[in-house]
Every structure is written in structure tokens, then in C-alpha cells.
Amino acid sequence: MKNLFLMKKNFKSKFQSLSPSYRKLISLLIFSTSLVSGWYFAPSRKPLLCAGFSLVSGGAGWFLLKKYNVKNEFEIKKQIIQNIDLNSENTNLKNELIKIQKENGLTEIQLKSEIFDVYKKFLEIVLRNSTSNLEEIQNLKKFIKVLNLSPQEIGQCHYDFAQNLYKKYIVMLEREGVSEPNEIINKFFFLSDRIFSLDSSKGYQYESARIRKIFLFSEENVKKNCFEKSTGLYKNFVLESLKDPSIKSENLSEIGELLSLPNSSRNEIHGEFYEQKIDEILSSQQKIKENEKKNLENLENLLEISKELSENYLAKKTEPIFSSELISIFESLKNEINENELDIFLNSIKTKKKDLLLSNESLEKSVSLSLNKVLCEQIENSLKFLRGNKKIESVKETEKILNLRNNFSKIEKKILENGNFSEIFSNLGKNFKIEEIKKVYTAYLNECLIEKKISSKNEKNLRELEQLFGIATKESNEIYKTSVGPLLENEIKKVLEKKNFNDENKKKIDEIVLSLKIEDNLSLEVKSSIYKETLKNLLSKESFPTQKEQDELETFRKFLSLRWDDVQNFHDSLSELSYQKSLTEALGATGIIPKNYWEGLENLRKKLRMSEQKAKQIFYAAIKDKLRIGFEKAISENKKKAQLQSSESGDSGEDPTVTKGAGTALGIEAGNPSGNELVNLVDLYSKNSIFVENENVFNETNQISLLGQTGRAEIKNSTKSKIDYSFPVNLDGLFNKKITTDMYREYLVECFSVKSQIEKRKLFNNLDKLGPILGLTASEIETIHSSVGSVVYKQYLSQALNKGFFR
């Protein structure tokens, strides 16, 4: 406040320092003297001229009095300032201001203007120092309260001040050549922000925008500057509170509100100071003593940090220290140790937990993370040795994982009674590629299988590794099969090479299966694979197997305890080409197997140990191919016949389905029945005995009249049978359905077209078999018969009517 009085003292200030009555008397004397002097010093004694000079002299005196302001502006400001006390309530200030207004003859607006000038002068003095502090903000707010300035008046004062400050800012930019605002400008915006915050939200936005617009500053940059200054001032106050015990948490809240810092920012700053305190304690020694624990509790109360947050901050700093200790202990647990050593490690963990004030939650978290880290590093060590093809070293590293798992299981409940560490040992493989994890598991498994047996200890360790690595049972079984399968296979092949299929060797193989705990399906798979390979080698020769070779193969099958059902598919698949080749030769060009060949084919099937079902399958496939070839020939002949008819009929417009004088019974076109390939299809089918005959027996009831007894009737029942044929091979699916139906229709027309009764009978006898061989269904055959039958009947009626009678 003293700075407000440092105004220049001159005549004007001395004159204005006089009381109002003296100033009026002196003013009257000066004015009177001016009038008299003008009259007296006039160059002429003419009354009119003297009066003129007197008026000029009086006007000059009046102007001089005006210049020195009888209202005493400096004195007014001085009186206002002298009545302001920022450390009191200033209850008499209002009366003093009224007194000042009356003594100086001021209007209400003039008094307000003087007050505004005093506020702006105070603001100017505050800005002489570029560094912000809390006292300045507090004094500004007190000044506003004392002078009873409204938010609108404060806003206007800051706006007027900003305009004058901007002029200085422009000059500064031109002189120094910088584009960034200096600290004075930043401080002005910060103080304005704090003062405007007393206004409503809309008022704050309006006044802030007005002064920003003068400097052309962005809202984002101004807010950032204000936030940084508020944060800095709050941190300084918190730092001061750590040294001054008189500062309480309530004072921190007041300063936070003064600076309009959000709770989140305050809490963040509190957390930083709390963490710094923990760092100071832990930097000297790796534990927290009782007195230091008390200091932390006091700091919690001062900074209003909740119990949960304080534990989080503490855990953040102490967990790394505790984890480092744990990792060292877990490294030791990789080895085989006794109970006394385990107790030492356990006590070390408990002591460290107490020294670092760790909660149970932090303890569980640290143990889990440290244990997981050590286990993952150990797996990585195993993989490194595997990559270098050092399988023995890799297995040793894997055994350390099992030791750690075993040792930890003995102390885990003592570390934390309700702790749950099972998840750590459940799926470590998720941190690695599954293929790499399988390699580690396989390497350990192969080591266990060196003696060609699995001990109970090894089996337990394998189960634990499956759980540790997160390998599913199905996957582990596959790995086990891959590893033990070759062992069993090698032993069987050794016996096979010597062809010594005695009981002793059989017992040896069975013991290996039992000691390796090979499941029945895997044992069957390995044995079947070897048998299949042996059979393949036997059939790969140019000649068929001799009786001796067949007997040895059968002995080998029994040695392996393989049922015939287990190997039948091998014989069927591997013998297929040999049997198919012989069958093709038997069919020849005609597709009809001579009767004396059937016995030879059957002997070959038995020699190859092929099943009847497989032999039929091969036979039917060969017949189907022959049927296809024959049907294609029939299609070709039909096309040639159609082209010939087309060339003969030309464009005469006659019906191409009827040929005049063709020599047919009904005038329907006849083909060449003796060379019809469709008849050959039926012959191929029948002569190879492909039809499957099914006898269908049924009862028939007849009513007959008895001789000599008119009127009497008797019902007689008789049993009849009918042969139904099934067609295991047909052309269904090989040709377009339209082609097969058209060909069948042509054949049916031909049945009615031929004149020779012998040919007609031959064609009709094959008719009921041809349709199924072509792959036509009963409904499709019936449709064709209806269509052709109607044409035949019309032709018959037409011929009869032309003759004029019916027979």
C-alpha cells in the first residue's frame, strides 16, 4: 500500500494538500488579483480598454485555478487509500468515502472513477514483479471486497488496464523482437482469471474473452498458462505446509479453491509429495521404521489421502523392492532344498513384508508377478538350450521349473493363508508360442523314455508340466504318441527283421507296451502301420505272394495280436490294382467274362486276402465303365441314323417319324435291331450274372364254379412267386438324363417298329431290364411308355380305318 503514495510532489500537490476552505480563499484572492492586475496594467486608461484587460487577466487566473484542480485529485486518492486496511473489516470505509465525496464536491460517478483509478494503480504495482504469489491474489480479492466493486466494474477496470498494457506490450515486441508474451503479460492474465472466477460462469467467459481479444491470445494457451501457475503456487504451498506444522488440511483446501484447482489435480499433487516422502525414507534403508510410519500417517492426514490411496502409493514404491527380494528367493527354490532352508526363506519373506508395510493384497500381487517372471525366464532358458540342440541342458532347466513348483507348494499357504497362486502354475505357455512350449515338453518326455518305461514320478512331473504350460490333454496325448510310437515300432521291426515270432519276443513287446503305458488304440495304430508297410512291400513285387510268404505274413499278424478286421482294409486297398488288372484282362474287349475265368478270379481274390465286398466293388466299377463305352456307341449310332434320315426326307415336310413303305407292321420307322448296342448292354449285364434276383412270393385267391352243381361256387387259394431283379450297376449320373430317356424312347419305338416276330420278341424281352440299366426310375419308364404307347395306338387305328374294318 505504501507504493500508492509514491507520487511526485510539486506545486500542484502542495496546493491540493490544503484544506477546502483555504483553497477557496486562495482561489478568490487569485481571481480578484487577476482582475485588478488587468485593470492596473492596461496600456491605456480608457475605461473600456482597462475593462477588457481586466477580463483577460481574470480569465487567465480562472484557467490557472482549473489547471490545478480544486477538487484535489491526488488528495482524494490519498484519502481513499488511507482509509483502506486489508487486514480489517473496514466498517467505516463507506462513511469515509461519503465524507471525501462531500469535502471535494464530487459526484457519485467521479468518486467511482477515483476508486477505479486506485484499483488499477494497485494492479499496476502488483505487476511490477513478474513472479506470482498467493498473497497478491488474496490482497486483490480483499481490495475488491473493501471497495465493494461489482464484477462488471472489475471487468471494466481490467479491460481498461489491458488496453494500456497492450500498448506497452507492442512497444516491447518491437524493441526486443520476440513473439512470445512476457511473464508480466502472463501474470496479468493469471490474476485476471482468478478475479473473474468470482463472477458467474457467463460473466467469467465474457470478461476473459474481452481481454484475450485485445492481445489476440487463444483461449487454450491462456488457460494452459493459468493452470500451470495455479499448479505451481499450490505445489509451493504444499511444500511450505510440510515445513510449517501450523498449516492444516483446511488451509490446503482454501488455497485449492482460491486457485480453482480441480480435486483431481490436487490429489495428483498430494500423491506426488506422498511418493517423494516414501522415496526419501526408502533411499536411506530398504525399510520403514515406526517413527517414519508415524510421519507418513501425519502426511496422509494433512494431504487428506485415503487409506486405500496411501496403500496404493506405498505399494507402488515398495513392491519393486519386495519383488527383487522374492526373485532372489525363488531363484534358490529352483534347487532341491531341505525343510530348514525353506523355513529360512519363509521368514525372510515375512520380515520383508513387515518392514515395507505391505498389505496382503500387495504381497499376493508381488509373489504372483515375481514367480511368473522367474518361471518365464526359466522356460526361456530351456528354449535357448533347445535352439542350440543341447537337449540334456534343456531338460535340466525344465527340472528346475518342477523343483520351484514343488518347493513353493510347501510354503505358499504359510506365506498367505488365503492366497491363491494356482493360476500362476496353470498357463505359462500363453507367454510363448505353443510350438516352442511343446518342444520343451517333448524334450523332457523323451528324456523320461530313455529307459523305455514311465515311472510314477515321471508321470507326475509330466502332468505338472502340462498344467504349467497350459497344454491340453488331447495335445499332450498326441505328443506322447509321437514319442512312444517310434520306440514300440523300433522294437517290433527288430523282431520282424529276424522273423523270430516266438512267445519270448511277443512277451517282450507286451512288456514295453505296459511299461510305457501305451494305450490300446496307439498300440493298435503302431502295429497296424508296421503290418501295412510289410504287406505293401510284399505286394510291390512283380509276382503274386507265394504260399510261404502268405504264411509268414499270417504268423506276423498273430504275433502282433491283430484281428483280421484290423488288417482287412489294408489287403483291400493294397491289392486293388493287382485284382483290377486281372479283372480287366478277363473282361476283354467284349466286356463278358468267360465261364472258365470266374474260378480263377475267385482264387486270386482269396490269394490276395481281398474281401468279397471289395472284389464286387472293383467288378462293378469295371462293368460300369464297359456299360459307359457301350452306351456311347449306341448314342453315336443313333446320331448317324438321324443324319441319314434327315438327308433322305429333305425339306418335303413329311413326318420324319413315319416312313412310307418302310416294311414295318405299323408304319413306324424301324432301325437296325440286330446291331442295336442297347441290346448288347443287357447282354453284358446278363451274361456276367450281374442281376440280383429276389424271389417275391405272394398268395392269390380265385373263385371257381364246381361242375355238376350249378349255383355253387368255391374259393381256392394258390401261392405264386415272382422274380424281381435289382441292378447294382447302372449309368445313372454318367450321362444327361435327357439323353438316357431319348435313347430308351428310341428303343421302345423300335420294339413296335420291327416286323419280324423273332426280333420283336427279343427286343421286348430285354425291355424291362434296359431301363434300370440306363439308370431310369420306374416313374420315368412309365412316362415314356405312356407317350410312345399313345402314338402306337393311334397308328394302329389309322391303319385299321384305312382298310375299313377291325379284326
Side-chain angles (χ1 to χ4, degrees):
M1 294 295 290
K2 293 179 181 179
N3 291 327
L4 292 175
F5 296 105
L6 298 179
M7 299 179 179
K8 186 178 179 181
K9 298 284 186 175
N10 50 25
F11 175 77
K12 178 181 177 181
S13 61
K14 290 179 181 179
F15 174 75
Q16 291 176 339
S17 64
L18 298 174
S19 63
S21 57
Y22 280 110
R23 290 202 308 272
K24 288 180 180 178
L25 179 61
I26 292 172
S27 298
L28 182 61
L29 290 173
I30 291 174
F31 182 67
S32 302
T33 303
S34 298
L35 290 174
V36 173
S37 298
W39 182 280
Y40 180 76
F41 288 107
S44 174
R45 293 294 93 192
K46 292 181 180 181
L48 187 59
L49 186 61
C50 289
F53 267 89
S54 180
L55 287 174
V56 171
S57 177
W62 178 256
F63 174 76
L64 185 64
L65 290 174
K66 274 291 186 180
K67 182 179 179 182
Y68 287 98
N69 191 3
V70 295
K71 291 183 180 178
N72 191 3
E73 293 177 356
F74 177 79
E75 186 64 24
I76 293 171
K77 292 179 177 63
K78 180 180 178 181
Q79 289 176 10
I80 292 173
I81 293 170
Q82 285 177 338
N83 285 282
I84 295 175
D85 185 1
L86 298 179
N87 297 317
S88 67
E89 295 295 328
N90 294 278
T91 53
N92 297 324
L93 181 60
K94 186 175 181 181
N95 295 330
E96 291 298 327
L97 290 176
I98 294 173
K99 182 179 177 182
I100 292 171
Q101 181 182 358
K102 289 181 179 179
E103 286 180 352
N104 293 280
L106 302 174
T107 63
E108 188 73 27
I109 295 175
Q110 289 172 332
L111 180 62
K112 275 289 183 182
S113 178
E114 296 296 333
I115 293 173
F116 294 162
D117 289 342
V118 171
Y119 176 77
K120 284 184 277 189
K121 189 64 179 178
F122 182 76
L123 188 59
E124 179 184 343
I125 294 170
V126 169
L127 290 175
R128 287 176 183 175
N129 183 5
S130 61
T131 304
S132 303
N133 58 66
L134 293 172
E135 186 180 3
E136 292 171 343
I137 302 173
Q138 292 169 332
N139 287 339
L140 272 175
K141 290 191 174 184
K142 289 178 181 178
F143 210 84
I144 292 168
K145 184 178 180 182
V146 168
L147 295 176
N148 195 27
L149 297 176
S150 67
Q152 293 79 9
E153 293 169 339
I154 293 299
Q156 188 60 43
C157 287
H158 278 257
Y159 181 75
D160 295 339
F161 190 89
Q163 288 180 318
N164 293 327
L165 185 61
Y166 178 70
K167 295 175 183 177
K168 297 177 183 178
Y169 171 63
I170 293 299
V171 173
M172 181 268 296
L173 289 180
E174 291 175 351
R175 288 179 180 177
E176 299 182 8
V178 294
S179 57
E180 296 295 327
N182 60 21
E183 286 302 315
I184 297 297
I185 305 299
N186 286 335
K187 182 176 179 180
F188 169 71
F189 273 94
F190 171 65
L191 293 176
S192 299
D193 182 80
R194 294 297 82 233
I195 299 305
F196 294 161
S197 65
L198 301 174
D199 199 356
S200 64
S201 176
K202 290 184 178 180
Y204 170 82
Q205 293 175 1
Y206 172 74
E207 298 297 349
S208 298
R210 279 215 300 171
I211 61 173
R212 285 200 310 270
K213 190 175 181 180
I214 294 173
F215 288 84
L216 300 177
F217 287 173
S218 68
E219 181 180 4
E220 181 182 358
N221 289 337
V222 171
K223 284 191 173 182
K224 181 181 178 183
N225 165 62
C226 294
F227 179 76
E228 288 175 354
K229 288 188 177 296
S230 294
T231 303
L233 290 175
Y234 189 76
K235 284 183 178 180
N236 292 337
F237 188 76
V238 173
L239 186 62
E240 184 182 349
S241 69
L242 300 180
K243 303 173 184 177
D244 187 357
S246 64
I247 298 177
K248 306 299 179 184
S249 60
E250 295 80 5
N251 303 123
L252 288 177
S253 298
E254 289 174 3
I255 297 303
E257 293 296 329
L258 177 68
L259 297 172
S260 295
L261 268 181
N263 288 328
S264 58
S265 299
R266 288 186 241 172
N267 292 336
E268 185 178 345
I269 294 170
H270 293 173
E272 290 175 5
F273 278 96
Y274 191 77
E275 287 181 353
Q276 288 175 8
K277 184 64 178 176
I278 297 172
D279 285 334
E280 290 176 8
I281 295 171
L282 294 175
S283 61
S284 57
Q285 50 191 352
Q286 301 290 306
K287 68 177 185 177
I288 301 173
K289 297 179 180 179
E290 283 298 322
N291 61 325
E292 292 165 342
K293 180 181 177 182
K294 186 65 178 176
N295 292 337
L296 285 175
E297 289 176 355
N298 293 335
L299 187 58
E300 289 173 23
N301 296 330
L302 173 65
L303 300 178
E304 294 183 333
I305 297 175
S306 66
K307 190 68 178 175
E308 182 182 0
L309 271 178
S310 65
E311 288 182 356
N312 290 340
Y313 290 134
L314 193 63
K316 182 179 178 181
K317 297 297 180 180
T318 56
E319 281 179 4
I321 299 173
F322 186 64
S323 296
S324 177
E325 182 75 16
L326 285 174
I327 288 173
S328 176
I329 293 173
F330 293 152
E331 288 291 336
S332 302
L333 293 181
K334 292 179 183 178
N335 305 311
E336 294 183 359
I337 56 179
N338 56 41
E339 295 295 329
N340 291 333
E341 289 174 312
L342 279 176
D343 290 338
I344 293 172
F345 291 136
L346 180 62
N347 291 332
S348 176
I349 292 173
K350 290 182 176 179
T351 302
K352 203 66 179 177
K353 173 183 180 291
K354 183 180 179 182
D355 289 344
L356 296 175
L357 305 180
L358 281 176
S359 63
N360 288 339
E361 183 181 351
S362 293
L363 172 65
E364 184 174 0
K365 178 183 175 183
S366 298
V367 170
S368 299
L369 292 176
S370 302
L371 194 56
N372 185 74
K373 182 180 179 182
V374 172
L375 287 169
C376 288
E377 288 177 353
Q378 198 59 41
I379 294 174
E380 186 59 39
N381 290 340
S382 297
L383 286 170
K384 284 180 181 178
F385 283 116
L386 275 180
R387 294 181 189 117
N389 202 26
K390 298 179 179 179
K391 295 182 179 180
I392 296 176
E393 289 80 357
S394 175
V395 170
K396 289 180 180 179
E397 294 299 313
T398 305
E399 287 175 346
K400 290 180 181 180
I401 298 174
L402 294 169
N403 288 336
L404 176 56
R405 174 71 184 95
N406 182 48
N407 291 327
F408 183 79
S409 64
K410 297 176 182 178
I411 63 172
E412 61 178 325
K413 290 300 178 185
K414 296 178 182 179
I415 293 176
L416 191 62
E417 186 175 353
N418 298 322
N420 182 15
F421 304 107
S422 58
E423 188 177 345
I424 305 170
F425 298 99
S426 61
N427 192 9
L428 284 170
K430 64 185 178 182
N431 301 308
F432 301 88
K433 294 180 179 179
I434 185 63
E435 294 304 320
E436 291 183 331
I437 287 296
K438 287 181 179 179
K439 287 179 181 178
V440 175
Y441 180 84
T442 303
Y444 185 81
L445 173 62
N446 291 336
E447 183 66 22
C448 295
L449 295 173
I450 288 179
E451 299 298 327
K452 295 185 179 63
K453 63 179 181 179
I454 291 289
S455 65
S456 57
K457 179 182 178 181
N458 287 340
E459 188 175 9
K460 178 186 176 184
N461 288 342
L462 287 170
R463 297 288 84 78
E464 286 188 356
L465 284 178
E466 288 174 22
Q467 183 184 6
L468 278 165
F469 295 161
I471 300 176
T473 304
K474 183 179 179 181
E475 292 175 328
S476 64
N477 288 341
E478 289 298 322
I479 295 173
Y480 189 77
K481 288 179 182 180
T482 305
S483 298
V484 300
L487 294 177
L488 177 60
E489 185 177 344
N490 291 335
E491 292 299 320
I492 294 174
K493 284 184 177 181
K494 288 178 184 178
V495 177
L496 180 62
E497 287 176 2
K498 297 178 181 180
K499 295 184 179 180
N500 191 6
F501 307 129
N502 55 35
D503 292 340
E504 183 181 350
N505 286 331
K506 181 177 174 60
K507 183 179 180 182
K508 183 180 178 181
I509 297 298
D510 292 340
E511 286 177 353
I512 291 175
V513 171
L514 186 63
S515 62
L516 290 176
K517 298 183 178 181
I518 298 176
E519 297 178 357
D520 292 342
N521 58 345
L522 177 58
S523 175
L524 177 61
E525 183 180 331
V526 173
K527 292 176 181 179
S528 299
S529 176
I530 297 173
Y531 183 89
K532 182 180 180 180
E533 184 180 351
T534 305
L535 177 62
K536 185 178 180 180
N537 293 334
L538 187 62
L539 295 176
S540 62
K541 300 176 183 178
E542 293 183 0
S543 59
F544 291 112
T546 64
Q547 187 62 43
K548 181 182 177 182
E549 290 173 334
Q550 292 182 42
D551 293 340
E552 286 179 354
L553 184 64
E554 179 65 13
T555 304
F556 184 51
R557 180 185 70 81
K558 292 178 179 178
F559 173 79
L560 296 176
S561 301
L562 292 174
R563 299 173 303 165
W564 187 252
D565 292 342
D566 298 330
V567 298
Q568 182 64 73
N569 286 337
F570 302 149
H571 283 271
D572 289 348
S573 59
L574 295 174
S575 305
E576 183 175 355
L577 290 177
S578 299
Y579 187 79
Q580 191 178 51
K581 182 179 179 181
S582 299
L583 180 63
T584 303
E585 291 175 356
L587 286 170
T590 62
I592 299 173
I593 300 175
K595 291 182 179 180
N596 58 330
Y597 277 41
W598 284 105
E599 185 177 353
L601 287 172
E602 178 62 15
N603 291 334
L604 176 61
R605 181 190 70 77
K606 291 178 179 180
K607 195 172 186 179
L608 295 174
R609 302 291 180 89
M610 181 181 287
S611 64
E612 291 184 13
Q613 182 181 359
K614 182 63 176 179
K616 281 186 178 181
Q617 182 182 342
I618 297 171
F619 174 65
Y620 289 154
I623 291 297
K624 191 168 188 174
D625 190 56
K626 292 292 184 181
L627 291 173
R628 176 187 61 79
I629 294 171
F631 191 67
E632 286 175 348
K633 288 182 180 179
I635 294 172
S636 178
E637 283 187 4
N638 192 52
K639 286 182 178 178
K640 290 178 182 178
K641 183 179 68 174
Q643 290 173 357
L644 182 61
Q645 290 175 355
S646 177
S647 63
E648 290 177 353
S649 62
D651 297 327
S652 60
E654 297 176 352
D655 188 351
T657 62
V658 180
T659 304
K660 294 181 179 181
T664 61
L666 296 175
I668 300 175
E669 179 187 3
N672 184 13
S674 60
N676 196 316
E677 286 293 337
L678 295 180
V679 175
N680 294 338
L681 297 183
V682 179
D683 288 343
L684 185 147
Y685 216 96
S686 59
K687 289 179 180 180
N688 283 317
S689 303
I690 302 172
F691 296 111
V692 178
E693 297 181 356
N694 300 312
E695 186 177 4
N696 186 17
V697 180
F698 59 94
N699 293 325
E700 187 178 66
T701 303
N702 294 319
Q703 186 173 359
I704 61 175
S705 300
L706 297 179
L707 295 176
Q709 297 183 14
T710 306
R712 286 190 60 191
E714 185 177 277
I715 296 174
K716 295 187 70 176
N717 294 323
S718 60
T719 302
K720 292 187 177 182
S721 63
K722 181 182 178 182
I723 302 298
D724 290 333
Y725 295 95
S726 60
F727 301 82
V729 185
N730 57 54
L731 295 175
D732 185 31
L734 292 181
F735 297 92
N736 188 286
K737 185 64 73 173
K738 185 177 184 306
I739 295 175
T740 54
T741 54
D742 288 347
M743 292 297 292
Y744 183 78
R745 182 180 290 105
E746 291 289 336
Y747 182 87
L748 182 58
V749 169
E750 198 165 12
C751 289
F752 288 102
S753 301
V754 295
K755 194 170 183 180
S756 171
Q757 291 299 318
I758 296 174
E759 295 298 333
K760 187 184 292 288
R761 190 179 299 109
K762 179 181 177 181
L763 292 175
F764 271 108
N765 286 341
N766 292 326
L767 183 62
D768 60 337
K769 300 180 182 67
L770 179 61
I773 291 174
L774 295 180
L776 298 176
T777 63
S779 60
E780 289 171 339
I781 293 172
E782 185 179 352
T783 302
I784 296 170
H785 281 214
S786 299
S787 174
V788 174
S790 63
V791 174
V792 171
Y793 187 66
K794 289 178 182 178
Q795 291 293 337
Y796 176 77
L797 289 178
S798 177
Q799 288 182 7
L801 291 173
N802 286 335
K803 293 178 180 179
F805 62 92
F806 288 97
R807 290 183 180 178

